[in-house]
Amino acid sequence: MRIILVAVVTLSFSVAASQSLAEEGSSLDVTFSQLSGSTDYQIGGLVQLANGASGYVHFPLSKLDFPSEMSVLGIGLNIRHARNLITARISSSTDASPTTMRDYDWGVPDVNPFTTPSTLDIYSESESDGEMQMLELRYAGISQPKYSDFTRYIGVGLLIQKFHFDVHDGLQEYPSMGFPADPLPGDILIYDVDMYIPYGFVRIEREARDSGWSWYAELAASAWATVEDQDQHLLRGKVNQGNYDGTAIIYDLGVTYQGSSKFMVTLSYRQTNIDTEGEQVSSLDGIYNHTIYAENHSEHSLYSLSLNL
């Protein structure tokens, strides 16, 4: 049995970090980013069959891992009024390097008596082409103690991130039996995963007086992350649809140079980790087959250059 592990989730976010607190109004920024990481899902545990029977298999029974190496372009709108900052950003991948999707299936002794739950029974690697779209909305309240170089932002946000992977031309191996590997030519599967992350965040920013330079550090967290995915196995007429709930944590660090009241350049690094669990519903040729426990994990790093005009 095969299924995919996905993730998602990191996003290209680069707010005009050191927009002057003394100024009100709006500004636009353009962000160029490089996204690196992976999404995976694992299945196992409780299985409920179409005939009403249920039972347990070891976890993980199967795991699919989808790496991501993408260039990302983002456009953001920042609106400042009094001590309130609203940010909206849309981002999309513009180019993606081909990566290798990996599919792991561990042994089931009742099916293959030469294996154990810790034995890698079937393993395959396939070429994968990915793309991503993203939307992020944020609100922050701003405070700056008198005579202090530090500014504090406390707020909430919503991150929506969608990945799409086309997997093709693979090679399937049989480590437990030592059989010759089988080529898998052509299209193999299509994987889509959508992530919805409402979060709260705290950002601390410090300006180096009279230098034009500033830096910031931000921590965001969510206990309400949800993930939805669909894995279409084109070679078998099988479709897996998953729904997951869990947590997410985002670290963001950056440095900004402000050359004028409007023009700014920001270099930033962002790490997004998402851990969710739920279940996958599987069908064969359009007919319901079974439901199984599943986990979905994502770790992505984002390196960005943002120009605020």
Side-chain angles (χ1 to χ4, degrees):
M1 175 178 289
R2 285 178 193 257
I3 296 189
I4 308 179
L5 192 178
V6 84
V8 111
V9 162
T10 246
L11 147 74
S12 160
F13 167 72
S14 127
V15 132
S18 59
Q19 184 170 357
S20 173
L21 291 177
E23 296 181 1
E24 294 193 5
S26 62
S27 65
L28 291 173
D29 63 67
V30 178
T31 302
F32 306 91
S33 305
Q34 186 65 34
L35 177 70
S36 178
S38 68
T39 294
D40 71 80
Y41 78 76
Q42 305 175 56
I43 59 167
L46 177 63
V47 183
Q48 297 171 306
L49 302 179
N51 63 9
S54 63
Y56 285 86
V57 295
H58 58 273
F59 183 90
L61 173 66
S62 180
K63 171 182 175 180
L64 277 75
D65 183 33
F66 298 85
S68 300
E69 294 290 341
M70 302 177 182
S71 298
V72 179
L73 175 64
I75 299 176
L77 172 64
N78 311 293
I79 300 174
R80 166 74 200 282
H81 177 68
R83 292 191 173 273
N84 303 285
L85 179 62
I86 298 173
T87 303
R89 180 175 307 280
I90 56 174
S91 303
S92 179
S93 58
T94 58
D95 182 53
S97 300
T99 58
T100 300
M101 189 279 290
R102 295 175 174 84
D103 186 350
Y104 307 81
D105 290 318
W106 284 274
V108 179
D110 290 343
V111 177
N112 183 349
F114 298 98
T115 65
T116 69
S118 62
T119 302
L120 185 59
D121 190 23
I122 302 174
Y123 172 75
S124 66
E125 294 186 355
S126 307
E127 295 183 29
S128 176
D129 302 314
E131 59 185 48
M132 181 206 68
Q133 290 80 41
M134 182 170 52
L135 169 68
E136 187 167 30
L137 305 173
R138 292 163 61 102
Y139 165 79
I142 308 170
S143 63
Q144 184 176 37
K146 204 170 184 180
Y147 308 117
S148 174
D149 295 332
F150 288 90
T151 302
R152 182 178 63 191
Y153 300 74
I154 299 178
V156 294
L158 172 64
L159 170 61
I160 301 174
Q161 197 166 14
K162 297 175 180 287
F163 284 90
H164 174 85
F165 297 93
D166 292 307
V167 179
H168 55 93
D169 298 314
L171 186 68
Q172 183 165 284
E173 302 176 357
Y174 308 91
S176 64
M177 302 297 291
F179 294 154
D182 289 329
L184 302 174
D187 296 333
I188 297 174
L189 63 86
I190 299 172
Y191 184 70
D192 292 284
V193 57
D194 300 338
M195 292 162 274
Y196 304 89
I197 307 171
Y199 61 84
F201 71 93
V202 175
R203 173 191 288 240
I204 301 297
E205 180 182 313
R206 186 180 189 278
E207 291 190 31
R209 292 187 179 183
D210 302 321
S211 70
W213 290 94
S214 65
W215 60 264
Y216 72 86
E218 179 178 303
L219 175 63
S222 174
W224 309 280
T226 62
V227 175
E228 299 173 357
D229 68 354
Q230 178 175 276
D231 167 21
Q232 302 178 57
H233 284 261
L234 304 177
L235 300 180
R236 292 188 288 162
K238 182 180 181 182
V239 177
N240 303 314
Q241 292 181 303
N243 288 277
Y244 315 84
D245 299 293
T247 61
I249 189 166
I250 304 170
Y251 309 91
D252 200 347
L253 301 171
V255 59
T256 296
Y257 178 74
Q258 183 169 354
S260 67
S261 60
K262 288 293 184 181
F263 178 74
M264 287 181 289
V265 179
T266 299
L267 295 174
S268 64
Y269 166 78
R270 193 181 215 196
Q271 176 70 33
T272 302
N273 298 335
I274 304 171
D275 294 295
T276 59
E277 62 180 358
E279 62 183 23
Q280 281 194 349
V281 177
S282 297
S283 61
L284 290 172
D285 298 322
I287 301 174
Y288 171 69
N289 185 264
H290 68 273
T291 300
I292 190 168
Y293 172 80
E295 295 183 2
N296 191 301
H297 306 283
S298 174
E299 294 186 2
H300 288 89
S301 300
L302 196 69
Y303 302 86
S304 300
L305 168 65
S306 178
L307 304 178
N308 189 57
L309 306 174

